[in-house]
């Protein structure tokens, strides 16, 4: 990570511009990783995490069906139409948006509770990039795209497992 000299925002190492203020960062000293693990997280693509294939639903799928899929697979569900990512649904969406509002989960389409236009990464983005996006956004699941098509979901658990296996 590197701090912007202008606004002190923490940016991902190697970023060309500050994501907060737009300040050019290419003249800032090159960041050197402090450990082998840190270097690995910066260099390795998210595909090294062996993420699961994305579970998908249409916007009209019932909340109940999506909740069932999440429960069985212990994973989030991407809401997709014509191979384009529209949103993501996690167990938190089910709890905080559907159950707490008393929605009829059999009849309500998942599009009413999904997180629309979620942050995404590409399959060749680094593990550090995924961690940064999760940290800044405060979420635990990031859809991975190849082109416009959603193919995986990287979770914080994938990253923790990778770190645990790397430090054995």
């Amino acid at each position: 990570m590197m701090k912007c000299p202008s606004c002190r925002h923490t940016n991902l190492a190697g970023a060309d511009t500050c994501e907060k203020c737009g300040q050019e960062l290419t003249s800032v000293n090159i960041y050197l990783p402090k450990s082998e693990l840190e270097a690995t997280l910066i260099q390795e693509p998210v595909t090294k995490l062996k993420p699961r294939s994305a579970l998908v639903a249409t916007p009209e799928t019932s909340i109940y069906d999506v909740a069932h899929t999440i429960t069985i697979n212990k994973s989030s569900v991407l809401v997709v139409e014509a191979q384009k990512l529209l949103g993501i649904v996690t167990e938190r969406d089910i709890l905080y948006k559907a159950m707490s509002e008393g929605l009829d989960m059999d009849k309500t389409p998942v599009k009413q509770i999904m997180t629309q236009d979620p942050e995404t990464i590409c399959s060749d983005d680094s593990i550090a990039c995924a961690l940064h996006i999760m940290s800044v956004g405060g979420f635990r699941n990031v859809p991975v795209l190849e082109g416009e098509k959603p193919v995986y979901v990287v979770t914080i658990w994938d990253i923790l497992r990778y770190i645990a296996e790397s430090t054995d």
Side-chain angles (χ1 to χ4, degrees):
M1 301 302 200
M2 60 192 301
K3 293 232 183 241
C4 173
S6 195
C7 71
R8 306 301 298 155
H9 178 74
T10 302
N11 291 278
L12 196 57
D16 292 334
T17 58
C18 175
E19 67 180 28
K20 184 175 180 186
C21 72
Q23 170 73 35
E24 188 230 334
L25 300 175
T26 54
S27 62
V28 177
N29 291 335
I30 303 289
Y31 176 80
L32 298 174
K34 295 177 183 73
S35 69
E36 188 176 321
L37 176 60
E38 191 175 355
T40 300
L41 295 176
I42 291 170
Q43 295 167 357
E44 295 292 350
V46 293
T47 52
K48 281 285 193 177
L49 300 172
K50 300 176 189 152
R52 294 186 204 182
S53 295
L55 300 171
V56 298
T58 67
E60 298 304 321
T61 304
S62 73
I63 295 171
Y64 176 83
D65 288 343
V66 170
H68 184 71
T69 300
I70 289 171
T71 302
I72 289 174
N73 295 285
K74 308 240 185 291
S75 183
S76 57
V77 172
L78 301 182
V79 181
V80 175
E81 193 167 61
Q83 295 192 345
K84 184 178 182 323
L85 178 65
L86 302 178
I88 186 170
V89 181
T90 68
E91 71 279 353
R92 294 177 132 216
D93 293 315
I94 304 292
L95 286 170
Y96 296 126
K97 296 177 184 174
M99 294 180 78
S100 68
E101 294 177 17
L103 298 177
D104 183 341
M105 296 204 311
D106 283 321
K107 294 181 181 157
T108 308
V110 76
K111 69 182 177 185
Q112 289 191 13
I113 65 159
M114 70 182 183
T115 300
Q116 294 182 7
D117 302 318
E119 293 284 335
T120 63
I121 56 176
C122 298
S123 57
D124 60 351
D125 283 338
S126 71
I127 297 169
C129 179
L131 268 173
H132 179 72
I133 287 172
M134 288 177 185
S135 175
V136 170
F139 37 80
R140 301 176 210 156
N141 301 272
V142 179
V144 181
L145 306 181
E146 287 182 359
E148 294 277 321
K149 182 181 178 188
V151 289
Y152 306 113
V153 175
V154 169
T155 70
I156 192 65
W157 305 114
D158 295 331
I159 296 170
L160 290 173
R161 187 179 326 101
Y162 180 84
I163 291 171
E165 291 170 358
S166 298
T167 56
D168 284 344

